[in-house]
Amino acid sequence: MARGFDDDVILGKAYDGRLMRRMAVFVVPYWRQLALALALLFGAALTEIVPPLLVLQAIDGPISEGRLEGLWPIFALYVLVLVSNFALRYTHNYIINSAGQSVVMDLRKQLFQHLQRLSLSFHDRNPVGRLLTRITNDVDALNEFLTQGLVLILADLVTLLSIIGIMFFLNWRLALISLATLPILMLIVAIYQRMMRATYRLVRERLATINAFLNEQISGVLVTQLFGREVTSQRHFSGLSEAYLQANVRSLLIFAIFMPTVQLMAAIGTAAVLWGGGYGVMSGWASLGMLAAFVLYTERAFQPIRNLAERYTILQAAMASAERVVGVLDTTEEVRDPEQPVTLPQPVRGEIRLENVIFGYDPAEPVLKGINLHIPAGQAVAIVGATGAGKSSLVGLLARFYDVQGGRITLDGVDLRDLRQHELRQHIAAVPQDPVCFSGTIASNIRLHSATIDDARVRWAAEMVNAATFIERLPGGYEHEVRERGANLSLGQRQLLAFARALAFNPEVLLILDEATSSVDTATEALIQDALERMLQDRTSIIIAHRLSTIRHVDRIIVLHQGRVVEDGTHDELLARRGYYHRLYRLQFAEQGLGVAEH
Amino acid sequence: MSNLRYLIPYLRRYRWSLLAGLICAAFAASVSALGPYILRLAVDKLATGQLVLTSILGYGVMLIIVALADGVFRFIQRMMLAGVSYRIEYDLRTQLFAHYMRLDQAFFSRNHTGDLMARATNDLSAVRQLLGPGLNGTATAVLTFLAAAVLMLMMNVTLALIVMLLMPVTTVVFVLLGNRMRTAFTRVQDQFGVISTRVQEHFSGIRTIKAYAQEDAELAVFAAENERYRELNLRYVLLSGALWPAMTLCLGIVAALVLLVGGRLVVAGALTIGELVQFNAYLGLLTFPMIMLGWMVSLYQQASASMGRLMEVLRYQPAVVNPPDARPLPSPRGELEFRRVGLRYEEPADHATTALFPERRAEWMLRDLSIHVPAGHSLAIVGATGVGKTTLVNLLSRVRDPDEGQVLLDGIDVRTLDLGDLRRAIGYVPQETFLFSVPLRENVAFGVEGAHDAALDARIEHAVTVSRLANDLAQFPDGLDTMVGERGVTLSGGQKQRVSLARAILRNPPVLVLDDALSSVDTQTAAQILAGLREVMRGRTTVIIAQRIATVREVDQIVVLHDGQIIEQGNHSALLKLGGQYAAMYRRELLEAELSA
């Protein structure tokens, strides 16, 4: 899915004890399934060494002795072994994958839960794409480690050892002869793996370069065209592609040499068995059937060796992923629930008090420099000020997305930091500046996934904010499908949905970031204004106002300038004072009267 | 018919390599079928007790020689066939790139970069997979099967038929399971997409989630999506978990049957033990090729779909192309004219319409618009966001063509001019600056053809001085040679705009277009730049789109656009006297300056 084009994983250690222990926590609950899967796999490995034995039996027994009826039991046993091998392997695959999926699901949920608990300052710093990679790709790499890596390495070892064991058991001299080429084969595989890893890295690097260039060129194609540089770009791209081609041909060359070499080694092995076995047959310490069995065993010993080398890469990738996952799980939240939370006195009234509040995203540069405010329950307040005056920060603090660095904020006399965030936010709702929509239905955008808001309440909220009219015109009405980010809704529609959402949750305190939506037509603007007015009734509301008309609905206006409250009063009082608000008013609002669009 | 027919011209280009590869494949297959035959000779001699030690050694040496010959042929086969696949991949990739470079903006606004990238990476790789491992594997499989079949039929028809009829069953099982697996896997991937989208949306809207304390409810939904993903995965494992065990089972049953039937034939005297061993060895030889054939079917299906997607792009014809009988324009003067120009909105984008009850969007963005700028004069265009300012100036360098009317340079319709000459005549500083990940110097000299010498360095010096980029050079570790982008410095918006400006100045164009090009540059620097530009642009034509009146005050002609029309036109003082929108904007700007003081 969202695999990046150039997220070239730098592979490091294939085993890290600390990380393994951290990950083990997620595996332990499924140890029974894992143990069963492992047992099944060992069983399967053992059934795989039986067929050559049967061949031996058949040739040395019935076939050499000319007993036709003796072949049937061997055939029956052969089929039985094959069927049980199938059954064992299949059950193993299913069980190990089922355990793997459960582990991954737990891990994914844990990560999701942890990430959403982290403070907004974490989310401000970390792009969504990065979080997505953690939850999807990194977690999948761990699944692969479990299902493809660890267990199969054990199985490969078991297979290899049991083949060697049975060979020695059958005939130690022939075993020595057939295994003579094995160390050389292992060496060749090791060399091949090493060369291939280096070359493969080169291939990936060059591909990443190509893709980075391609991506940039597609993004900047207009500049290239306007400056007539198409040919130069093409030449450069051809050069990069040529380098990639060369790297690929190099890896092809290594592979094309490796494969026949392995074949040659196998042939030498067979020749050795033939020679040694032939000598043995003549000297009487070996039989024809044994010869055939050893040829088959030599073939089978090679597969696990090649597998072991390949699984190493899976381990490395898994460790890198585990490192990143653990990194996220170890990140601590900055805004935390108190050890002993206080509950709000019931009923919640919505009285807010700010005492000497100091805050800055960078503590060295405070945005709010000592704010004192008292907002009685039920009052509607507008906060105005130039860009950067600290308006949005104030809202962020009231919803406790961030914590104050000095002073305190209280709701009904209780410090926000003494409350559980969950409780606080049931009473204070913030309507964000950019009306956020999620994929789902209109109704699910109003109630989110809350179980406490029924259909009637959704409809009521939509009607209150004038959204019902447009919703009912949509095909399917409240069940109309909303696409990702609300792409199939207009800005005005999304704004009204965000309002409806706020009303549906019916908080005692409402924080509204009122974006100056210059691109909304006048009819919609009127509907939004009307909705706003109704929302402000009977509840404490704080609006960051950008519109003149919004200001008219509030009881009180607070003017922020460079992190301080400079003026406080009603619209008329402040205008009469002819101070900062007066100028701000002229700048921000006067032209809306003139009908000139903002830009 | 399959999209793969489009590959034929590419394959023809490398026909000799392909032929050589296929001939080697045939030799390799024949030689490898000889190995089991040698084994049989040795075993038969052993069984009858006719063998002496030296002749066993002889058979061993023969086995090794066969393996050597086989190795040599296979080496050439791989290098030829797989080599061609990489070359064709190269050809397709460079062709695709060249095509991307020719396509118009309409194409790029309709297609996401991610999708275009996917075609150049995933689809291309699917096609190469078919040509490389696919072709190579098929050749090996078919030829080995034929060679082994001939030798088996020569020994014993019954046993040969058992092997020849049952081995392909493996292939069929693989294909059948494979197809069902693909369907199941598509579902798994779709659900994976659902999860990814959920995560993406959730964390993009984390403010809203937190604001309404909906974390637990969201977690429950996420858990449900994951549960579904797990179930689909298990349904997939139900199939995929069976694949390899089933292969082993099928092949094992053939081997068991060969042992049973072959054993009876040996007892009956119709077959020697050596021949039985030879049959067994062929089973081993054919195992991998038979499975490979099954894999081929899915490679073929994927490659065919991918080739279709590649051709979709390659066959797209750009709307803006160099006219066939293009008029050269060796020394343009720079007289501009928009003559009754009309522009429609591009095909409605998927997102954000502005009205609550979106009517069908007004079709025309601009209509019946005429502006004339004599050579060497300046023009400013002001108006609200979205009114069509950028689209209008885009007509000059033919980023797109008008739907109605004409745009003329020196009295000639730009659509008849040589595209290269036209774009050389116009220095365009776009609203969205774009810098490449190369050193600053190369970014500035981006539009300059020819040698980079001392004379060019002097010109670059001049361009960065005029654009006031020179002021900031000391901040960069290597001055003009500092790398830009992820692996170098990140420039501020204002710095980027100044690089972009220097880039245009360096081209020394008779027409300079600044599309809101100084918006991120602070007022004071902007004033300095404008003063410097006036010097540079003496006798040249300038078109400026600006949000700030301060930038356009001294321009000869100012045009205010509103609702697809020119509503005010004149110079600064004339428009102020008019007391309309322009005057209001100007008052607002003065106030703003006063407030921030």
Side-chain angles (χ1 to χ4, degrees):
Chain A
M1 259 322 273
R3 262 165 239 270
F5 290 109
D6 48 9
D7 67 333
D8 209 351
V9 186
I10 293 145
L11 298 177
K13 279 195 267 191
Y15 180 84
D16 182 325
R18 185 184 61 88
L19 289 175
M20 291 288 278
R21 277 192 294 281
R22 289 293 300 273
M23 289 295 122
V25 179
F26 293 94
V27 178
V28 166
Y30 302 97
W31 71 270
R32 279 193 192 83
Q33 273 173 288
L34 285 173
L36 179 58
L38 207 57
L40 288 169
L41 194 57
F42 287 167
L46 292 179
T47 56
E48 264 152 47
I49 60 172
V50 176
L53 277 181
L54 293 174
V55 171
L56 181 154
Q57 286 295 321
I59 291 179
D60 285 353
I63 293 178
S64 311
E65 293 159 13
R67 284 187 297 113
L68 266 183
E69 67 288 355
L71 275 173
W72 282 107
I74 292 177
F75 176 70
L77 194 60
Y78 202 141
V79 172
L80 185 70
V81 166
L82 286 171
V83 171
S84 48
N85 175 265
F86 174 82
L88 287 167
R89 276 195 162 267
Y90 188 29
T91 336
H92 158 81
N93 280 348
Y94 189 78
I95 292 177
I96 189 80
N97 275 293
S98 144
Q101 286 299 327
S102 301
V103 170
V104 163
M105 192 169 83
D106 293 349
L107 187 56
R108 213 172 252 146
K109 280 195 284 190
Q110 174 90 42
L111 264 176
F112 186 87
Q113 193 174 19
H114 187 77
L115 280 172
Q116 72 173 357
R117 238 191 346 237
L118 289 176
S119 329
L120 276 185
S121 48
F122 172 86
H123 291 285
D124 293 342
R125 279 195 310 271
N126 290 279
V128 175
R130 192 179 299 161
L131 308 184
L132 185 65
T133 315
R134 294 299 158 275
I135 292 186
T136 54
N137 296 355
D138 283 336
V139 170
D140 269 354
L142 291 171
N143 179 39
E144 206 160 86
F145 164 74
L146 200 63
T147 56
Q148 308 285 310
L150 196 61
V151 175
L152 292 189
I153 285 180
L154 286 173
D156 284 334
L157 282 176
V158 169
T159 309
L160 186 60
L161 290 178
S162 40
I163 286 175
I164 294 175
I166 198 133
M167 283 167 101
F168 274 97
F169 173 75
L170 286 176
N171 192 315
W172 65 269
R173 276 183 278 207
L174 263 186
L176 281 179
I177 294 172
S178 3
L179 294 176
T181 52
L182 210 56
I184 304 172
L185 207 55
M186 282 174 153
L187 190 69
I188 291 175
V189 171
I191 293 172
Y192 166 75
Q193 290 286 337
R194 174 169 290 221
M195 288 176 75
M196 227 22 190
R197 240 199 313 272
T199 313
Y200 189 57
R201 188 177 300 144
L202 195 69
V203 168
R204 283 182 56 131
E205 274 170 14
R206 293 195 174 162
L207 184 62
T209 315
I210 286 185
N211 288 337
F213 183 76
L214 181 62
N215 205 359
E216 184 172 278
Q217 286 292 321
I218 291 178
S219 312
V221 67
L222 182 60
V223 178
T224 306
Q225 288 175 348
L226 290 179
F227 284 82
R229 293 272 296 203
E230 294 97 326
V231 176
T232 323
S233 288
Q234 279 168 36
R235 218 177 292 135
H236 187 73
F237 188 77
S238 298
L240 294 178
S241 298
E242 176 73 33
Y244 177 60
L245 173 67
Q246 293 310 328
N248 267 321
V249 169
R250 198 160 128 188
S251 79
L252 174 64
L253 185 66
I254 297 173
F255 185 71
I257 291 175
F258 170 72
M259 286 306 279
T261 313
V262 169
Q263 292 293 325
L264 186 63
M265 289 313 294
I268 292 174
T270 312
V273 173
L274 192 66
W275 175 74
Y279 179 71
V281 171
M282 287 187 291
S283 324
W285 53 262
S287 66
L288 266 185
M290 198 165 279
L291 197 61
F294 269 81
V295 171
L296 291 177
Y297 277 131
T298 318
E299 265 173 28
R300 284 176 190 226
F302 176 59
Q303 196 54 39
I305 296 176
R306 196 161 63 170
N307 288 348
L308 280 174
E310 270 166 21
R311 311 225 193 275
Y312 186 79
T313 323
I314 294 179
L315 290 192
Q316 281 182 311
M319 282 303 144
S321 289
E323 179 98 54
R324 289 191 289 264
V325 168
V326 166
V328 170
L329 290 177
D330 286 349
T331 312
T332 52
E333 40 204 306
E334 283 160 37
V335 174
R336 278 193 232 195
D337 281 343
E339 305 264 321
Q340 273 134 7
V342 175
T343 51
L344 285 169
Q346 296 296 327
V348 177
R349 293 175 301 116
E351 179 199 15
I352 288 173
R353 204 180 278 276
L354 281 82
E355 295 167 12
N356 243 325
V357 167
I358 297 172
F359 172 76
Y361 299 96
D362 175 2
E365 285 173 40
V367 180
L368 300 176
K369 303 163 183 165
I371 303 275
N372 284 295
L373 267 184
H374 175 235
I375 301 171
Q379 193 175 55
V381 176
I383 297 178
V384 297
T387 317
K391 295 170 297 185
S392 321
S393 314
L394 197 60
V395 168
L397 290 180
L398 286 169
R400 213 182 155 218
F401 289 150
Y402 308 95
D403 272 338
V404 295
Q405 278 139 13
R408 63 183 207 133
I409 302 176
T410 62
L411 172 63
D412 289 356
V414 181
D415 191 320
L416 297 189
R417 285 168 296 185
D418 293 337
L419 291 165
R420 287 196 307 118
Q421 292 170 63
H422 191 256
E423 187 184 358
L424 170 70
R425 293 191 191 126
Q426 277 175 339
H427 303 290
I428 294 191
V431 183
Q433 198 149 15
D434 174 32
V436 177
C437 275
F438 300 94
S439 50
T441 62
I442 294 280
S444 79
N445 265 288
I446 294 178
R447 70 157 72 97
L448 297 175
H449 290 108
S450 167
T452 55
I453 296 171
D454 59 17
D455 287 351
R457 183 150 190 89
V458 166
R459 278 164 203 276
W460 171 81
E463 274 158 26
M464 285 298 283
V465 300
N466 297 323
T469 337
F470 90 78
I471 293 173
E472 276 150 21
R473 281 201 210 172
L474 295 171
Y478 287 86
E479 296 310 309
H480 181 72
E481 192 199 325
V482 176
R483 270 187 262 153
E484 220 181 316
R485 286 187 296 276
N488 53 343
L489 297 176
S490 75
L491 190 61
Q493 290 171 334
R494 281 185 279 150
Q495 182 77 67
L496 290 189
L497 276 188
F499 285 173
R501 184 185 298 149
L503 271 196
F505 281 86
N506 197 26
E508 284 80 0
V509 180
L510 199 53
L511 312 167
I512 301 170
L513 285 140
D514 165 37
E515 175 66 347
T517 37
S518 57
S519 47
V520 168
D521 61 300
T522 30
T524 311
E525 174 70 26
L527 287 178
I528 291 178
Q529 284 309 317
D530 189 48
L532 261 177
E533 192 173 348
R534 264 186 257 178
M535 288 169 71
L536 303 186
Q537 278 163 15
D538 309 321
R539 78 183 79 230
T540 316
S541 352
I542 299 168
I543 301 189
I544 308 299
H546 281 116
R547 295 189 190 98
L548 174 63
S549 36
T550 312
I551 304 269
R552 293 197 180 118
H553 306 314
V554 299
D555 307 320
R556 173 182 172 196
I557 293 163
I558 291 161
V559 184
L560 278 188
H561 184 58
Q562 295 179 347
R564 285 178 217 283
V565 176
V566 290
E567 288 170 23
D568 185 346
T570 65
H571 177 67
D572 294 336
E573 283 169 18
L574 294 187
L575 273 192
R577 198 178 293 175
R578 299 194 75 80
Y580 192 85
Y581 179 73
H582 179 73
R583 278 185 289 164
L584 200 66
Y585 171 75
R586 276 172 57 212
L587 169 64
Q588 282 199 322
F589 308 117
E591 271 162 21
Q592 288 171 19
L594 285 173
V596 174
E598 284 213 33
H599 45 245
Chain B
M1 199 187 148
S2 165
N3 293 311
L4 292 172
R5 67 174 187 277
Y6 296 114
L7 279 175
I8 294 171
Y10 298 91
L11 288 168
R12 195 170 288 153
R13 223 176 273 173
Y14 301 103
R15 56 184 176 277
W16 298 118
S17 300
L18 287 171
L19 192 65
L22 289 176
I23 289 173
C24 281
F27 275 120
S30 321
V31 170
S32 66
L34 281 180
Y37 176 71
I38 295 166
L39 204 59
R40 158 193 154 189
L41 292 181
V43 170
D44 277 345
K45 289 262 167 70
L46 267 179
T48 48
Q50 302 169 346
L51 207 60
V52 286
L53 214 53
T54 45
S55 59
I56 310 186
L57 209 59
Y59 285 123
V61 171
M62 274 160 74
L63 270 183
I64 295 171
I65 289 173
V66 164
L68 263 177
D70 180 44
V72 171
F73 286 128
R74 290 239 186 268
F75 174 78
I76 304 175
Q77 175 196 344
R78 276 214 178 80
M79 291 308 288
M80 289 296 156
L81 296 184
V84 166
S85 80
Y86 285 118
R87 266 166 230 290
I88 291 182
E89 185 193 20
Y90 169 87
D91 292 348
L92 275 170
R93 175 176 278 122
T94 45
Q95 192 190 342
L96 193 63
F97 183 81
H99 195 67
Y100 279 161
M101 289 294 106
R102 287 177 54 227
L103 291 177
D104 50 46
Q105 281 302 298
F107 175 85
F108 288 103
S109 60
R110 265 199 304 276
N111 295 283
H112 296 289
T113 308
D115 180 49
L116 299 180
M117 286 294 295
R119 286 173 206 247
T121 52
N122 302 349
D123 287 329
L124 208 52
S125 129
V127 171
R128 196 206 70 76
Q129 285 270 318
L130 176 72
L131 293 175
L135 192 57
N136 195 44
T138 316
T140 302
V142 172
L143 294 169
T144 311
F145 189 83
L146 286 178
V150 170
L151 286 163
M152 284 192 291
L153 283 171
M154 278 162 59
M155 286 188 287
N156 186 296
V157 178
T158 321
L159 207 53
L161 285 179
I162 289 181
V163 174
M164 284 162 61
L165 292 177
L166 290 182
M167 284 302 273
V169 171
T170 324
T171 313
V172 174
V173 170
F174 191 99
V175 172
L176 290 180
L177 259 177
N179 279 340
R180 295 196 56 191
M181 271 167 63
R182 214 174 19 254
T183 321
F185 192 62
T186 311
R187 282 200 204 107
V188 169
Q189 281 194 309
D190 288 350
Q191 184 61 20
F192 188 78
V194 170
I195 291 183
S196 301
T197 311
R198 168 79 47 203
V199 171
Q200 181 111 32
E201 273 202 311
H202 178 85
F203 289 107
S204 306
I206 187 76
R207 266 169 198 276
T208 306
I209 304 296
K210 277 182 180 283
Y212 292 102
Q214 289 301 299
E215 289 96 332
D216 292 344
E218 285 291 318
L219 182 63
V221 173
F222 183 71
E225 300 286 17
N226 267 286
E227 179 56 37
R228 170 140 182 78
Y229 180 61
R230 194 181 75 97
E231 278 163 18
L232 287 172
N233 248 310
L234 288 186
R235 226 175 282 171
Y236 171 70
V237 167
L238 220 48
L239 294 167
S240 71
L243 186 68
W244 292 108
M247 293 293 101
T248 318
L249 183 64
C250 289
L251 293 165
I253 285 178
V254 180
L257 273 174
V258 167
L259 190 65
L260 177 73
V261 178
R264 293 169 69 89
L265 289 171
V266 172
V267 173
L271 200 72
T272 64
I273 288 200
E275 282 172 330
L276 184 59
V277 170
Q278 188 180 356
F279 265 103
N280 254 314
Y282 283 137
L283 291 186
L285 203 64
L286 289 175
T287 300
F288 188 64
M290 286 298 115
I291 295 175
M292 191 71 193
L293 268 186
W295 187 44
M296 272 299 298
V297 174
S298 73
L299 277 186
Y300 177 85
Q301 289 165 343
Q302 282 164 19
S304 177
S306 288
M307 195 63 202
R309 278 192 290 271
L310 287 177
M311 289 314 294
E312 215 174 84
V313 172
L314 288 175
R315 274 185 305 189
Y316 180 92
Q317 289 304 320
V320 175
V321 288
N322 204 16
D325 47 354
R327 288 175 66 165
L329 189 69
S331 46
R333 289 176 295 116
E335 179 199 356
L336 300 177
E337 188 183 351
F338 294 92
R339 192 179 287 169
R340 303 183 65 93
V341 164
L343 269 172
R344 281 176 208 274
Y345 280 104
E346 307 235 327
E347 284 172 34
D350 208 13
H351 54 83
T353 46
T354 54
L356 192 56
F357 302 107
E359 317 267 318
R360 238 180 88 74
R361 205 210 274 244
E363 281 223 317
W364 292 95
M365 177 193 263
L366 297 169
R367 196 138 192 215
D368 204 14
L369 196 128
S370 300
I371 305 172
H372 179 248
V373 187
H377 282 239
S378 52
L379 167 75
I381 305 173
V382 295
T385 315
V387 79
K389 304 184 297 276
T390 300
T391 321
L392 188 63
V393 296
N394 273 345
L395 300 179
L396 290 174
S397 32
R398 290 193 72 202
V399 174
R400 65 172 283 190
D401 288 331
D403 297 304
E404 219 179 65
Q406 283 178 301
V407 179
L408 306 117
L409 173 62
D410 291 355
I412 309 164
D413 190 322
V414 291
R415 279 171 295 194
T416 62
L417 287 171
D418 178 79
L419 199 57
D421 284 352
L422 171 70
R423 287 178 173 169
R424 240 187 305 279
I426 293 166
Y428 184 54
V429 188
Q431 195 170 23
E432 281 173 35
T433 54
F434 191 88
L435 301 192
F436 294 91
S437 313
V438 293
L440 266 180
R441 183 186 300 280
E442 282 178 48
N443 263 303
V444 172
F446 185 70
V448 179
E449 290 144 39
H452 283 214
D453 50 16
L456 179 66
D457 282 346
R459 284 171 55 207
I460 292 177
E461 203 73 30
H462 176 244
V464 298
T465 311
V466 173
S467 71
R468 289 294 182 275
L469 181 65
N471 294 1
D472 294 29
L473 283 182
Q475 286 176 26
F476 305 131
D478 302 312
L480 267 179
D481 296 309
T482 306
M483 196 69 183
V484 175
E486 265 179 49
R487 291 184 191 172
V489 294
T490 312
L491 273 66
S492 73
Q495 286 167 339
K496 278 191 198 164
Q497 287 189 330
R498 280 177 280 159
V499 174
S500 190
L501 182 62
R503 188 189 275 167
I505 293 172
L506 193 63
R507 292 258 281 182
N508 205 12
V511 180
L512 186 66
V513 180
L514 306 177
D515 182 0
D516 204 9
L518 300 176
S519 60
S520 307
V521 178
D522 66 90
T523 329
Q524 207 189 337
T525 315
Q528 289 176 5
I529 293 174
L530 285 172
L533 269 183
R534 265 191 285 282
E535 200 59 39
V536 175
M537 293 315 295
R538 198 177 297 280
R540 295 171 206 270
T541 314
T542 323
V543 179
I544 298 181
I545 294 179
Q547 303 289 355
R548 279 200 296 251
I549 304 293
T551 343
V552 302
R553 271 160 77 162
E554 318 220 352
V555 163
D556 303 325
Q557 185 183 186
I558 300 166
V559 164
V560 182
L561 288 185
H562 187 69
D563 269 349
Q565 301 286 333
I566 296 175
I567 53 162
E568 292 169 23
Q569 192 167 12
N571 63 19
H572 180 70
S573 53
L575 288 183
L576 278 191
K577 244 178 253 151
L578 202 65
Q581 278 208 16
Y582 182 85
M585 282 171 74
Y586 185 59
R587 277 200 306 277
R588 182 180 192 281
E589 202 171 294
L590 289 180
L591 254 162
E592 204 166 14
E594 189 191 330
L595 260 177
S596 57

